[in-house]
Amino acid sequence: MENIIIDTDERIRYITINRPEQLNALNVETIAELSEAFQLSDEDQDIRAIILTGSGEKAFIAGADIKEFADFTIGQGKELSARGHETLFNLVANLQTPVIAAINGYALGGGLELAMSCHIRIASDRAKLGLPEVSLGVIPGYGGTQRLAELVGKGRAMEIILTAGMISAEEAHQMGLVNHVTFPSGLMSRAEEIARQICKNSPRAIGLAIKAVNAGLMNKSRGYQKEIEAFGEAFGTEDFKEGTSAFLEKRKAAFTGN
Ligand code: CAA
């Protein structure tokens, strides 16, 4: 991998975008590497949570790489967006392993869109967030028009997208766009605290819960049906037997993810 760094500590996988001189902008290669890293992490039974962050002091990700698409045609623009949705943004949103975005600086355009694809977001109080695409004559193309409205409501999403302005981490927190705001030095430890809490729980049940939540976002009535199916499916897992036995035997559960 040329553009990302992958580390593992116990059951937590760390994926760090490492193009700090370009403010971690997402070029096609970085998207491909991230896609592979997320898929491999999700297939690895030992990994129970993933933390995504950006290298350097300044940026989480300052967007899609503008230098790459500045001379694109209509067809190429459509293809860039479609490929991004499929290979990375929808992939992350639908992983069975929870992903926590640790937003250490600018999260703009495709950067905020990737953070919004993650299951949980935590931001440093220095972070700035926004979807500045209309200032470039384009629109958010990696799911931003949909996921921002889901997270903060249509009115606020419209304001953020149409003004192309940046909001502070604190403002993002107040509108539910990020779950927590920390001092820069406390960002990773807060993300790890949440990841470790997740690691205690049943990976199978976590995967099923993610599926049910996502199904409802696509289609409300389908979401309730998916919940019923996923709830039933959980009863067939070893994790369910282990979780309920551990409770009844007054001991800690040791989940295997089966
Ligand atoms: N794409 C490509 N390169 C980028 C970039 C991006 N999105 N963001 C920053 N860079 C590069 C700059 O070109 C510069 O590179 P050079 O030194 O080679 O010139 C380097 O990173 C440092 O950036 P700045 O000198 O601009 O740093 P700054 O501190 O003055 O400003 C900033 C920081 C406000 C984040 C500014 O860099 C900026 O506005 N970046 C663009 C943000 C943006 O518009 N993002 C949306 C992209 S479009 C998109 O994401 C489409 C989509 O939805 C699919």
Side-chain angles (χ1 to χ4, degrees), residues 19-26 58-59 61-69 80-81 89 106 108-111 113 130-133 135-136 138-144 166:
R19 301 180 76 214
E21 65 293 339
Q22 297 299 305
L23 304 188
N24 301 320
L26 294 176
K58 227 171 142 176
I61 303 167
D65 193 320
I66 301 166
K67 288 158 193 152
E68 265 188 356
F69 63 70
L80 181 79
S81 173
F89 295 77
Y106 288 116
L108 301 174
E113 291 174 297
L131 293 177
E133 284 90 343
S135 71
L136 297 165
V138 68
I139 71 164
Y142 287 148
M166 290 186 210

Side-chain angles (χ1 to χ4, degrees), residues 68-163:
E68 265 188 356
F69 63 70
D71 61 355
F72 270 18
T73 62
I74 293 172
Q76 287 172 308
K78 199 169 168 186
E79 169 67 18
L80 181 79
S81 173
R83 201 158 359 102
H85 276 258
E86 190 189 326
T87 58
L88 184 58
F89 295 77
N90 290 347
L91 173 94
V92 170
N94 292 305
L95 287 183
Q96 304 300 286
T97 314
V99 186
I100 301 168
I103 304 171
N104 54 307
Y106 288 116
L108 301 174
L112 178 56
E113 291 174 297
L114 188 54
M116 292 193 293
S117 295
C118 296
H119 305 98
I120 295 170
R121 283 156 294 286
I122 303 167
S124 139
D125 62 10
R126 284 206 206 130
K128 296 262 181 233
L129 302 89
L131 293 177
E133 284 90 343
V134 299
S135 71
L136 297 165
V138 68
I139 71 164
Y142 287 148
T145 60
Q146 306 305 302
R147 292 198 175 98
L148 187 61
E150 271 162 16
L151 284 164
V152 305
K154 180 179 166 187
R156 288 187 179 119
M158 285 289 189
E159 186 175 336
I160 291 169
I161 293 169
L162 305 185
T163 61

